[in-house]
Each structure stands twice: as structure tokens, then as C-alpha cells.
Amino acid sequence: MLSFLLIILVSIFFMGLVIRTKSLASGRKGPGILQPMKDIVRLWKKGSVYSTTTSIIFRIAPTVYFSSIIMAILMIPHGNQPGIISFGGDFVLFAYILALGKFLMIISALDTGSSFEGMGASREALFSMLVEPAFFIIMGSLALFTGHTSFYDMFSVLNYGSYISYLIGALSTFVLILIAMIENSRMPVDDPKTHLELTMIHEVMILDNSGFDLGVILYCTPLKFAMYGALIANFFIGSLPLQISLPLFFAIQIVFAVTVGILESFMARFRMSHNPQFIFILTSVSLLIFFGVLLVLGKFI
Amino acid sequence: MEKILIEIINLLAVFSLITLPFLNSKRLGIVALVTITIQVLISFALVFLVFTHGNVEYYYQGSFITGNIPIRIDYLSVWFILLISFTFLTGAWYGFQYMKKYQEQTSNLQLHAISYILTFTALIDICIVQNAIVFLLVWEIMAFGSFILIIFEHYKKETLRAGINFLVQSHISILFLTLSFIWVKVKTGSFDFATITSYSALHPSMGIGLFIFLFIGFAIKAGFVPFHTWLPLAHPAAPAHISGVMSGVIIKIGIFGILRMLTLIKTDFIIIGYFILIISVISGLYGVILAIIQHNLKKLLAYHSIENIGIIGIGIGLGCLGLGHENQWLVVAGFGGALLHTLNHSLFKSLLFYSAGNVYQFTHTMNIESLGGLLKKMPHSAYLFLIGSLAICGLPPFNGFVSEFFIYSGLFKGLTSNQFTLTLTMLFSIVALVLIGGLALICFTKAFGIVFLGTNRTEIKADKYFEKPLHFYPLYLIALIILVLGLLPFLFSSTLLKIIGLFQINSGTITIGFMDRTLTNLTVIGAYSFAFIILTGIVFFVRWLIIKRRTSKADLTWGCGYVGETKKAQYTASSFIRSYRKLVEPLLYIKKKKIGAKGIYPNSLKHITHPYDRIESYLIDKPIYLFRRILNRFAFLQNGNIQSYILYGFVFLVAAILFPIFISKIMVFIHLLNQL
């Protein structure tokens, strides 16, 4: 319960921090930290326009997408406080629930019959397929490292002994940050601020959404960021008591947001055809983590 | 009691064989439907009896060729009888309306109905007969029956080609089975399956060889790569209900065979486990990689069957490794996942094929590229296809997720073991399973999105449609069971436990009591799927509360300011998978024909692609081509001249008589030399 509330809280100011960092990096003052959230709330108050080509799929998809992310957040623990849902193998459900939301968003993009949205849908489907193995290998490494198979058990047992295990923590953080960037279609893979439909991924999928539904979809981005931020934070919190873990959690989320902002300010977007190679790197880095774990446990023959 | 039920089922098949040829098409349909329904109800009763009262074993006095014919009905048999019966029932009800437009082809329909009933009966018998000769006999009836079912539209050249391909490959499968049964017979002198156990217990190393022989035989039926090549040809050629039944259960009889042999053979399960696991991972990946690039909806679904057979195989391999390493988690998760996925796949694959059949009846084409926007014209089929797609991608809250979750938990448990090879194998199986899931997502977003959403891509000369109740009632029944299995998987946990108990658990460390707890841990997943549904319901309610006061209007899709006709500007299936195709190009074999833009005013551009199967071209086409080249040299022998044929006969007879004499003379000569 605690971790759920924390993630919701962080999601409110996360994008604001990212945008603020970006504007400071480009020499502007930038909007207030709550501005992105205010934009979303304004969208929630608006009416909507639906394309005549669309069917009911288009209307239900954003809501299911949103609830899939909420469901995923419910599974994330906070140090030694388990998430609301916690059982052996819960990260499988975590990944598959997110995939369900994605499935519906992809078909809702195809539902509009627009060529742009089809393009975005195609890319989203491919990239999310490519990014999945990295996540599962990290979770497999953690399962191997701790001998447990649920988020809560893995993170509460996690402790760092040797130098290699620090390396494992650092690499996992790196991979999770990049997974978060790809899942949210941010900079090295996709540029949310681009003005050209041909080069977008996620933004082009939601060209036809408006009003409340658009607000819901836009709110999903900070939610997902905060969710992955909480996962990263769990790597460091371990079984620390609350008075240390709470400030640490916020510090990590803020550092995460600033990192995202800095990455977006100083990195250029890849060519679309180079994205798969980039995403494959994640899988190989996570394989490195796996072998690191084998090394720590002395299981190499 | 069970004996009588089995006999009634078989007698009903004989009865249909006698009566159906004398009926006209209208009565024929009704009689066939009633017969198959009664047969299915009886087999449901049989399933219920065995699950409540335990295994049944009795013998028939066979002839001097077959020896005693043992009939053993255990939990594994009835599990497969259950899923076969259900799919055949829905198939019959769906097929009843599907066949209406062929009403004037009375004799063809008679043959079709008889084969349908015979195939069903043969499948039931395969599950219970444990005498090698009788087993091969019913297997042959099943293979031949499904051949006739496939070639219903035999006046089409493509269909006949696919059918004959199927027939040939089924008989290669039978050849392997025959050889391995002969092997056992020669070594033990009996056709009873029980001798397999005693033989392999004495010679465990021989057991592996025997198992691989049997595995190849059954794998051809099941469609494991590289024995899959008949599958993508046969499915599109058959009528929709036959494709559904074939993909749903007829290929599963191969899985049944493998599982049955695993319960019988006593040997080194670790080697067998790795063997099955590797083949299954390859099948799963290869099936889905090829499924994505298909243009034909039914062919796409057929390749997906190969993928799902791969997933089932991963479960079986995992279970075998569990037996070898005496790890009960792996046994429960592996075999439990495989058995459950067999049931699940029979449900959602038949659902997908039936709804694809509705699409075919409406549009008369299966080419994905020319379809589009069907959701508005045939909403029931569209929603049913969507449910099937979500389930086959293994997404919660549907049943596919439950079985994949079983297999995932088994793999993650295996990961934490102490053997390095096992850990590494598990890791790569996990990566493979994840990739299979992700690729399935691409595949079915493409299939559903392009076929049912957007607007129509070409002008289709469609009938005035009409979704009649029989088009979708049997399908809704399947969809309901899919949802029930997804939400309440614990309903089947005691059943699964009984079946898992059949495998050769020969050590004290694995006990049924512990397995019960493990299975409870696994089936809890249904509760969370249920929680997700409730959560989504709440979110929808909140949304409804908020937007009911907001305005909502309809307008055109945003086209960057362009407001004209956009039908042709829509994304197509090929463009949807283009970036994927570029990525996996080295693995694929696509025949391309391209006419690019030439000159200042190019008028016609063309780009045609025909996806083909690389394994098929190497394993089937190349050898056939070489055979042909060699055999063509002897084509002069077939000159149509009766005198020369008589001459061949004469030459043969002379050779047959003289050859032994000649050999014996040589032997005498060699003896002579030896004595010198």
C-alpha cells in the first residue's frame, strides 16, 4: 500500500522535473514542476472527438491501458513492505499485464485506419517485443541471486557482498533506466517533442485520442516512469527502516528524473532502423548481469 | 460400465457408416450432428466416471496376430478424451452451418460426415488401446479420415496437393511408429504396451533410442520443427471447422503419444528432457517467426499451432528434467503447464479458426491484405477473434496466461538449481518463451488489427451478411470456457495432479502431498486475473462518471489536414511488419517480385511477396527434386507398351529364381577357396 501511494505521489511531479531539467539545460527558466500534471487535468475536463472509422476498441483501449499500469504498480514493493499483490512469479504477471495494455493500445491505433498510427503501432509492437527479454533476464538473475521468485522476496533479501555484486546493481539500474526510456518512448529511441509524425512512435499512436482518454494516456507516462523508478529504488533500499528508506526513495526518483532530463537534453534520437540494435544491447548487458550473478554464487563450472 | 460406453461409441460410428450413405444432405446433417453429439455426451460420461472411480483396465480376446488386446483407460487418456470430445462437439455444431452452402454435393458431404465421425471415434480409441497393432490400425483410420476431411474441396488443385502431402507425411509418421513397435515386439515378443516398460527398464540406454524413434513418429503428427511442413499446407486447404478440429486436437494426439510413451518408458529422463526442450524451443520460435509474415489468415494460424506445440513441448521437456533431477516443482509446473496448455490451445485455436471461417464465408478470401474493417460488419466474430487472440498471446485474464505462467514458474525454479547446464538451459528457454510471447503479440495485433479494424482495403464482393446464431453460439461456448479457465484454474488442479502422478516418479523425495501445495501456489494466479478484471471495472466506472457530463462528437480520422478517401492510405499487414521483417530477413525465405518506378512518369508499381519456409525447401523440396532427377533417368521404362511390361515381369521372375541359386554357387566357390 505504501509503495502504491509513493508511486502515485512521485508520478505527479516526475514529468515536471524532467521538463525543468531539460529547460535548465537549454538555458531557459522553464515551467513549474506541476505544469505537466495541470495539462493532464485540463485534458480530463475536456470533451472528446472520436473518429468515425473507430469502433468500441478505440474507446476502451486507453482505460484498459491505464488499469494495466495500475495493476502493475500494485505489485511493486517498497523495501520490506510488500506490494498489495505479491506472490511467487509475480513479475511474470507484471510483464504480461503491461503487455495486455500495450496490445489494446496497438490495435486501437490500427482502429483509426490512419497510416501514421499504423506506423507507430508497428514500431511500438516491435520495440516492446525486443525489450522484454532484458527485463526477464534481470528478474531471472535476481531469482538466481536470492533464490526467490517474487518482487518482495527478491528485494528484501537482496544484499551486496562482493564488488561484483555492486557491479550487478549498477548494471541493473542502467538497464532498467533504459527499459523505462524505451517503454515510455523517450529519447534515444523516440523523441516525444518531434514535430513530424513520420518519426514518432508512441506520440503518433495517440494522434486521434482526445479529451479524457488522451489525458489518461498522457498520465500513464509519469506513472510508468515512477513505477520503474520505484523498481530501481528497490535495488538500493533493501531492508532499511522506513525513516531512511523514504528519503532514499524520493532521492532516487529525483535523480532518476534529472537523469532522464539530462539524457534527453544531450542525446540525439537514433535513426529508426538503428533502434533494434540498440535494444539488443540491453539484452546482452542483462546477460552480463546474469553471468555476474553466476560468478558471485560460484556456480560457473 | 466404462466398457459398455466405449462399445456404444464405436457402435455408433459403425451405425453412421451404414446409414449415412442413404440420406439426402438435409437429413444427413441432422443425423450426423445427433450421432456426434451422443458420442460426445457418452465420452463426457466416461471422463467423469474415470475421474471419480479411478483407472479402468480390461482385455479383449484378440486374434492370433494381435494377441490379447488390453484396454487401459487412465487419467491421461480421459484428459485427452475430454478435450478431443469438446472440440469435436463445437466443430460439428459450427460445421453444420458452414457446410450448408455445399448442400448440393450430397455424396461428398456423406463422405465428409462419415469421416468426421470415424476420425473422432478413432481418436478416442487411440487414447485407450494399448496393443501396438490395434493402435496402428486406429491410427491409420484417424490419418485416413483426416485426409478425407482435408480434401473436401478436392476439385481445387491446391487442396488435393495439400491433402496428398498430408497423407504422405502421416505415413512417414506411421512408418516410424511401426518400426519402433516392431523393435519392442522382436525384443520382447508381445505387442502389449506394458512390455515397453519392462524392456526399457532392463536396457535403459536402448530406451533412449526407442524413445527418439517414437518421438519422431509422434512429432510428425504434432508438428514439431522440422517435421511441421504438412501443417501450414493442410490447414488453409481444409474447411474452417476441420482446420479448427485438426489444429485443436488432431495434432494434439501426437502430444498424447509422447506423454503416453513417457509414462511407459523407464530411462534417463535428463537426456530426453534436454532433447525435447531444444526441439520445442526451436519449434516455438520458428513457428511464430514464420507466422508473422504470412498473408493468409489460416496459414498464419497454422504456423501459430507449431509455436504452441513448441510451448507445450517446453513444458514436457521441463517435466522430464524434473523427473531426472527429482525436482517436484519442475515436474508439476512442466507437465501441469503442458497438459493445461494442450487443453487451452485446443480451445482458443479452434475459436480462432472458426471465426476465421466466418470471415471466409463473408468475404470469400483469406488474404489479410485485402480485408479490413470487418468489426462493423460482423461484430460477433470480431470480438470472438479478439478473445482468441488475447488468449493465444498468453495475456491475462485468459487461459493461455495460466499455462504459460505454470511453465514460467517451472523455468524460474529450475534456474535456481545447482547444475550449471540446467541453469543455462533454463535461462535460454525463458528468453525463448519471452520472445515467443512478444512475437505472438506482433502477430495477433497484425491479424486482428488489419482484418477487423480500420476500413476495408479493397472492394469485397461480400454477401449481405447475416450472423446467424449457429455462426457464433458454439464459439461463445468456447469463449466462456476460455474465461473460466483463466479465472478459476484451480478447478482443474486435482485433475492435473492425478495425471502428473502417472509419470514415473520413482523416488521418495517427490510426493503427491507436496505437489498439491505447489499446484495451489500456481493456480492462485486466477485470483489475480480476477482482481485485474475488477480493477478495470472500477476504472471504467470512474471514467463513465467523469465523461457522462462531457461532450463527445464524431469526425474524420486525423490525416494531417487531408480529408479525402483514405482507404488505400491505411497501413497494410506488410507495412505493419516491415521493420520486423527486415530484422529477421536472414532466417526467412521470401520470394519477391518487384517492379519499381522507372522513368519520369512511372505508371504501374508492383511488389509481390510470397513467404516460404526455409526448412521446407531444404528438407522436402531439395530431396524431392534430386529424387526426381535420378528417377527421371528410368522414365523410359514406363513406355506404355504392354509387351515390355510383361518382359519386366518375366525378367523379375527369372532374377528372383536365379539370384538365390547364383548366391549359393558363389558361396560354394568361396568355401572351395577357403579349403585350399
Side-chain angles (χ1 to χ4, degrees), chain A residues 43-57 59-61 63-64 66-68 70-71 74 85-93 96-97 99-100 102-104 106-108 110-123 125-126 128-130 132-133 136-137 139-141 143-144 147-149 197 207-208 212-213 276-277 280 283 287 290-291 294 299-301, chain B residues 375-376 383 386 389-390 393-398 401 404-405 408-409 412-413 415-421 423-424 427-428 430-431 433-442 444-446 448-450 452-455 457 521 524-525 528-529 531-532 535-536 539-540 542-544 546-547 550-560 566-567 569-571 575-580 583:
Chain A
L43 277 173
W44 284 346
K45 288 179 188 157
K46 286 192 173 183
S48 31
V49 182
Y50 289 104
S51 159
T52 43
T53 321
T54 57
S55 61
I56 189 144
I57 305 280
R59 292 173 190 236
I60 63 166
T63 316
V64 178
F66 179 74
S67 74
S68 76
I70 294 288
M71 183 75 182
L74 289 179
I85 295 173
S86 176
F87 58 96
D90 52 3
F91 53 83
V92 178
L93 182 64
Y96 272 73
I97 274 282
L100 174 71
K102 228 173 276 163
F103 186 103
L104 279 163
I106 291 167
I107 58 172
S108 91
L110 288 172
D111 198 10
T112 60
S114 143
S115 50
F116 296 124
E117 282 165 66
M119 199 181 299
S122 152
R123 289 168 184 167
L126 181 65
S128 58
M129 181 273 287
L130 291 174
E132 215 85 321
F136 272 85
I137 294 176
M139 286 304 142
S141 320
L144 181 62
H148 294 285
T149 53
E197 285 90 344
L207 271 181
D208 261 274
F212 182 79
D213 286 346
Q277 280 118 313
F280 270 134
T283 309
L287 268 180
F290 185 77
F291 289 121
L294 279 179
K299 276 190 182 171
F300 259 120
I301 36 167
Chain B
L375 187 132
K376 296 205 181 72
Y383 296 135
L386 179 63
S389 313
L390 289 169
C393 287
L395 295 172
F398 298 99
F401 178 65
E404 286 197 23
F405 179 75
Y408 269 120
S409 342
F412 277 105
K413 273 284 167 196
L415 199 66
T416 55
S417 83
N418 279 322
Q419 277 96 356
F420 180 67
T421 8
T423 308
L424 219 56
L427 179 78
F428 285 110
I430 289 170
V431 173
L433 201 54
V434 172
L435 278 178
I436 289 172
L439 290 168
L441 195 118
I442 297 184
F444 277 95
T445 46
K446 166 191 150 177
F448 181 76
I450 303 292
F452 291 100
L453 301 177
T455 50
R457 284 171 176 77
N521 284 338
V524 75
I525 193 74
Y528 297 113
S529 295
F532 175 67
L535 178 72
T536 314
V539 176
F540 266 110
V542 172
R543 175 181 185 267
W544 176 76
I546 295 172
I547 66 161
R550 309 268 185 267
T551 55
S552 154
K553 61 176 187 170
D555 210 326
L556 288 173
T557 299
W558 167 243
C560 283
T566 52
K567 254 185 221 172
Q570 286 182 94
Y571 235 46
S575 42
F576 184 74
I577 55 151
R578 185 176 176 275
S579 34
Y580 159 80
L583 206 63

Side-chain angles (χ1 to χ4, degrees), chain B residues 89-107:
Chain B
L89 181 69
T90 53
W93 281 91
Y94 175 79
F96 182 63
Q97 63 78 26
Y98 190 85
M99 284 319 210
K100 268 191 180 153
K101 67 172 175 176
Y102 301 100
Q103 231 168 21
E104 64 278 14
Q105 306 179 18
T106 309
S107 53

Side-chain angles (χ1 to χ4, degrees), chain B residues 5-44:
Chain B
L5 291 180
I6 292 283
E7 277 165 0
I8 293 175
I9 292 177
N10 280 293
L11 281 176
L12 275 171
V14 176
F15 159 78
S16 75
L17 191 64
I18 298 164
T19 49
L20 289 185
F22 301 104
L23 298 171
N24 64 17
S25 343
K26 209 165 204 175
R27 287 201 193 128
L28 171 82
I30 293 164
V31 171
L33 200 59
V34 168
T35 316
I36 197 102
T37 310
I38 294 172
Q39 278 186 313
V40 167
L41 288 178
I42 294 172
S43 50
F44 280 159

